[in-house]
């Protein structure tokens, strides 16, 4: 890693300059944070699993016509992605009440929502990612009305597809967070799915038992965090027999 130029270090990932112009290498760490960095820890093997899970989900989404930044997985912890201009919004899609929605409105966790709800949060650690409306987003120039139309349409298509995909492996997709970026080619601009999709940014509950299989196990000190991430990978058919250690290949390319 030492010889490559680091572009950005986030809480769970590092971005490096890619091998060709317009590409980046996305490196997945084992570090876990919650409550805007107030809680910190390590989930052993998380980076390896999230790299695989996100690769799998981005590829499946690509097959049904969702444009994404994903190019290919490089090794155990790294994937090649297209360099995009990140839209400074976290787009949260909810199917079942949980987390901050349950707290804000006093709706018990697990209550199905009458329809899927899309929320926007402004990406800012200093401000604690405040929830924002479309009015704020367009007035402050974070995205245009057209961008928002695209974001909403893509988010709902992604939700439909992922809900079905997870249902097929006995998992309820309760809610999740997406990030999008602008991909420029010549005069054209396309909004594409960026960042990652993994148990770090989804709520995934076992369909039968309701057991949590996501980062809430870390946030709420429930234990069994590594096992939960492994189980998600196993159900998606991407975890070898012996667990993450049996994945073949180097952790990084030097
Ligand atoms: O905390 P809250 O209920 O608003 O989270 C909704 C969904 O968005 C959860 O799946 C959570 O994992 C995800 N999320 C995230 N990053 C954040 C905030 C929420 O991935 N900064």
């Amino acid at each position: 890693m030492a010889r490559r130029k680091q572009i950005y270090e986030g809480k769970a990932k590092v971005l490096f300059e890619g091998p060709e112009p317009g590409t980046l290498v996305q490196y997945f760490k084992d570090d876990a944070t919650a409550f805007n960095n107030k809680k910190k820890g390590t989930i052993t093997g998380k980076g390896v699993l999230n790299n695989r899970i996100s690769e799998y989900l981005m590829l499946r989404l690509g097959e049904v016509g969702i444009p994404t930044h994903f190019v290919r997985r490089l090794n155990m912890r790294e994937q090649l992605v297209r360099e995009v201009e990140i839209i400074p919004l976290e787009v949260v899609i909810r199917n079942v009440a949980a987390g901050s929605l349950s707290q804000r409105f006093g709706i018990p966790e697990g209550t199905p929502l009458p329809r899927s709800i899309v929320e926007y949060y402004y990406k800012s650690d200093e401000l604690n990612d405040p929830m924002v409306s479309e009015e704020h987003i367009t007035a402050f120039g974070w995205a245009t009305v057209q961008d928002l139309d695209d974001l909403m349409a893509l988010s709902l298509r992604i939700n439909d597809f992922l809900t079905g995909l997870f249902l097929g492996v006995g998992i309820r997709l309760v809610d999740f967070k997406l990030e999008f970026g602008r991909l420029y080619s010549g005069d054209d601009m396309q909004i594409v799915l960026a960042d990652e999709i993994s148990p770090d940014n989804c709520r995934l509950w076992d369909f039968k038992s309701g057991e949590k299989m996501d980062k809430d196990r870390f946030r709420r000190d429930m234990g069994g965090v590594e096992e939960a991430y492994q189980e998600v990978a196993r159900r998606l058919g991407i975890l070898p027999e012996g667990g993450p250690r049996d994945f073949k290949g180097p952790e990084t390319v030097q």
Side-chain angles (χ1 to χ4, degrees), residues 235-248:
R235 292 212 195 165
L236 293 174
I238 50 181
L239 186 69
E241 279 294 295
R245 280 192 191 83
D246 275 8
F247 281 133
K248 298 278 182 285

Side-chain angles (χ1 to χ4, degrees), residues 11 90 92-94 98-101 104 119 121 129 175-177 199-203 215-216 219:
K11 293 167 199 154
E90 305 207 329
V92 170
I93 300 102
R94 302 179 185 272
S100 70
L101 179 130
R104 195 176 308 118
E119 298 171 345
Y121 294 83
D129 299 339
D175 58 33
F176 58 107
K177 184 265 297 186
D200 267 11
N201 41 46
C202 299
R203 282 198 175 91
K215 199 168 132 187
D216 271 350
R219 294 187 188 101

Side-chain angles (χ1 to χ4, degrees), residues 96 110-112 166-167 170-174 203-207:
V96 177
T111 310
F166 279 115
L167 200 59
I171 294 175
R172 199 170 180 199
L173 179 61
V174 170
R203 282 198 175 91
L204 304 169
W205 295 356
D206 179 76
F207 201 81

